[in-house]
Amino acid sequence: MMMGYACRETDELMPLPITLAHGLTKKLTEVRKSGKLGYLRPDGKSQVTVEYENGMPKAVEAVVLAAQHDPEVDYNQLKADLIEHVIKPVCGKWLTENTRFLINETGKFVTGGPQADTGMTGRKIIVDTYGGMGSHGGGAFSGKVPNKQDRSGAYMARYIAKNVVAAGLADRFEVQLAYAIGYPEPVSVHVNTFGTGKITDEQLEKAIRQTFDLTPAGIIKELDLKRPIYQPTATYGHFGRPEFPWEKIDRVEELRKAIN
């Protein structure tokens, strides 16, 4: 069972909290490699809590940021630098006077990587997808070849969801694809527009089946997945990044035509 999700909260049609969280980790890398904050080390993580009003983001309530650093760095300087050079550039317009900044709350963060934790027992599937905003079927992506439905099916589900939202058929959309071993067509295509759909769920499901080839072979061919494109997915998530083929918005007119 694989899930795909899209919404109108960001230009990438991704949930705002995970988009900001990935933006923060990218900014940590940028200021470290550029030398602006040369005392930073490679390890780091982020979490963003967003306040919603009427289903849309209103403001950032809290930013949790952890950054590995050289041992001699003063904590107050570290906190001030991270707020000024990392958090504000990424979260700027969403910050308020009430936003809480929780930075390296466990104290010094000098030792990082596998030697400081338990190693790599599996990729964090929620970080790799929608940050908990959308559902997840449970299967990890990384380390699996494209013909594994955990990976290719989830990519197709995101591709479908993004095109549905881009086509104006829903403002928030989730699709669930379910397969049985040895049977190429999905045994279930379940859609959820969370009350934002412009047509019925039945019409939308029919249009999706008509527009997209949902067989494993069809998915691999459509998204051209048998290419060495996966290394960048090791950081910053698999979705909301235009360099990947499952982020294309090229089925909008076909979906609309199928509806009509």
Side-chain angles (χ1 to χ4, degrees):
M1 186 173 65
M2 283 64 63
M3 315 293 292
Y5 183 84
C7 60
R8 292 199 175 278
E9 295 178 18
T10 64
D11 292 340
E12 301 87 352
L13 303 184
M14 286 284 286
L16 181 64
I18 192 67
T19 298
L20 294 178
H22 284 312
L24 289 171
T25 55
K26 288 179 184 178
K27 199 68 175 176
L28 277 178
T29 300
E30 179 185 316
V31 297
R32 174 175 59 85
K33 290 186 173 181
S34 70
K36 180 175 286 187
L37 300 182
Y39 57 77
L40 293 180
R41 293 181 176 182
D43 206 346
K45 57 186 176 182
S46 66
Q47 178 178 302
V48 180
T49 302
V50 174
E51 177 186 359
Y52 281 73
E53 188 174 86
N54 298 322
M56 291 300 291
K58 179 182 179 182
V60 168
E61 287 189 349
V63 176
V64 178
L65 192 63
Q68 187 187 10
H69 57 81
D70 291 343
E72 66 273 11
V73 174
D74 176 73
Y75 173 76
N76 291 327
Q77 183 62 51
L78 171 74
K79 183 172 183 178
D81 284 347
L82 291 181
I83 291 174
E84 185 64 29
H85 298 294
V86 178
I87 296 175
K88 285 184 178 179
V90 174
C91 303
K93 71 174 185 176
W94 300 102
L95 301 177
T96 71
E97 60 182 12
N98 297 318
T99 301
R100 292 177 295 142
F101 302 115
L102 306 174
I103 297 174
N104 284 23
E105 287 293 301
T106 57
K108 286 186 176 294
F109 186 3
V110 174
T111 305
Q115 69 188 91
D117 212 323
T118 56
M120 283 279 289
T121 56
R123 290 290 301 170
K124 294 182 179 293
I125 57 178
I126 298 304
V127 174
D128 276 348
T129 53
Y130 309 104
M133 187 71 76
S135 303
H136 196 292
F141 305 156
S142 297
K144 294 178 181 176
V145 292
N147 65 309
K148 296 297 185 182
Q149 286 298 85
D150 280 343
R151 184 167 211 160
S152 57
Y155 290 164
M156 175 55 83
R158 164 63 179 171
Y159 180 46
I160 293 168
K162 191 172 184 182
N163 276 271
V164 166
V165 172
L169 302 177
D171 294 329
R172 183 180 171 207
F173 177 77
E174 185 174 78
V175 60
Q176 176 196 98
L177 305 177
Y179 292 84
I181 294 175
Y183 187 69
E185 293 288 344
V187 295
S188 170
V189 177
H190 177 71
V191 303
N192 185 0
T193 63
F194 305 94
T196 70
K198 315 306 178 189
I199 57 175
T200 67
D201 289 355
E202 290 76 14
Q203 289 175 302
L204 197 46
E205 179 187 326
K206 184 177 179 181
I208 288 169
R209 286 183 178 272
Q210 182 176 327
T211 304
F212 298 93
D213 185 344
L214 301 179
T215 65
I219 293 171
I220 290 171
K221 181 179 179 181
E222 171 64 39
L223 301 179
D224 197 10
L225 295 180
K226 289 189 175 181
R227 295 177 293 141
I229 60 175
Y230 302 104
Q231 185 173 344
T233 65
T235 53
Y236 316 129
H238 292 237
F239 302 135
R241 302 169 62 179
E243 65 265 34
F244 295 134
W246 48 87
E247 294 294 318
K248 297 181 296 183
I249 301 176
D250 59 356
R251 292 300 188 91
V252 167
E253 293 307 318
E254 287 181 64
L255 278 168
R256 289 172 177 165
K257 185 177 180 180
I259 296 298
N260 291 335

